[in-house]
């Protein structure tokens, strides 16, 4: 059983262009090949996403050739499977580093933190207070 070290207390916001407040925070993406190539990205906690997704614009700005890439089949909420491009990144989320993480390129201006990262933390959503807590184990 992991030792939960530090609690991060964060506020909900309207990042995803919706009238509903949602759990959001900033994450940090960098190239495994070129450590100086990095970008901070706003992100939404998405418990319905199996995998973390990063905006395609991040890779365009940092140079897609600075990342290993591939493809994966992704099934959306309506059941249709689509091929999506993936990139391998170093990612910092909730003060924890995730090295060589394969993420899906997303056609949005914000990232989605999926269960591949969420399941490694204890997360408490407090809707009435419009805040959430992340207990990290790293």
């Amino acid at each position: 059983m992991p030792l939960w070290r530090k609690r991060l207390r964060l506020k909900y916001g309207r990042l995803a262009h919706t009238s509903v407040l949602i759990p959001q925070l900033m994450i940090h993406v960098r190239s495994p090949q070129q450590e100086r190539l990095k970008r901070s990205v706003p992100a939404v906690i998405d418990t319905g996403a199996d995998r973390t997704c990063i905006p395609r614009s991040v890779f365009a700005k940092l140079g897609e050739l600075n990342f290993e890439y591939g493809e994966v089949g992704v099934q959306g909420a309506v059941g249709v499977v689509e091929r999506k491009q993936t990139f391998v990144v170093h990612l910092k989320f909730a003060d924890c580093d995730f090295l060589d993480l394969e993420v899906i390129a997303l056609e949005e201006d914000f990232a989605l933190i999926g269960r591949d990262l969420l399941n490694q933390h204890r997360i408490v959503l407090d809707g009435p207070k419009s805040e959430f807590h992340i207990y990290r184990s790293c």
Side-chain angles (χ1 to χ4, degrees), residues 48-126:
D50 292 341
R51 300 197 34 201
T52 295
C53 304
I54 304 294
R56 180 176 297 285
S57 61
V58 169
F59 303 108
K61 290 175 185 169
L62 297 178
E64 290 184 5
L65 296 178
N66 293 307
F67 297 87
E68 292 180 29
Y69 58 92
E71 269 193 358
V72 67
V74 176
Q75 184 173 355
V78 295
V80 177
V81 176
E82 296 180 61
R83 300 296 297 170
K84 295 288 185 178
Q85 189 169 18
T86 63
F87 291 94
V88 176
V89 302
H90 289 348
L91 189 141
K92 187 174 203 110
F93 161 71
D95 293 336
C96 296
D97 287 309
F98 296 90
L99 305 179
D100 299 323
L101 178 70
E102 185 178 28
V103 299
I104 297 170
L106 180 67
E107 302 298 334
E108 292 286 350
D109 57 356
F110 55 89
L112 300 176
I113 303 300
R115 288 191 316 275
D116 55 341
L117 296 184
L118 296 176
N119 287 348
Q120 298 181 47
H121 295 77
R122 181 173 169 243
I123 299 175
V124 177
L125 303 177
D126 187 343

Side-chain angles (χ1 to χ4, degrees), residues 26-64:
M26 293 298 285
I27 61 172
H28 310 282
V29 178
R30 65 185 196 277
S31 167
Q33 288 81 20
Q34 301 278 336
E35 293 280 327
R36 62 179 175 72
L37 296 176
K38 55 189 169 186
R39 176 111 11 210
S40 295
V41 182
V44 171
I45 300 293
D46 188 347
T47 60
D50 292 341
R51 300 197 34 201
T52 295
C53 304
I54 304 294
R56 180 176 297 285
S57 61
V58 169
F59 303 108
K61 290 175 185 169
L62 297 178
E64 290 184 5

Side-chain angles (χ1 to χ4, degrees), residues 9-13 21-25 129-132:
R9 181 178 169 198
L10 302 157
K11 289 294 205 182
Y12 282 25
L21 290 170
I22 55 175
Q24 66 183 50
L25 70 159
K129 290 185 180 177
S130 295
E131 65 185 31
F132 63 107

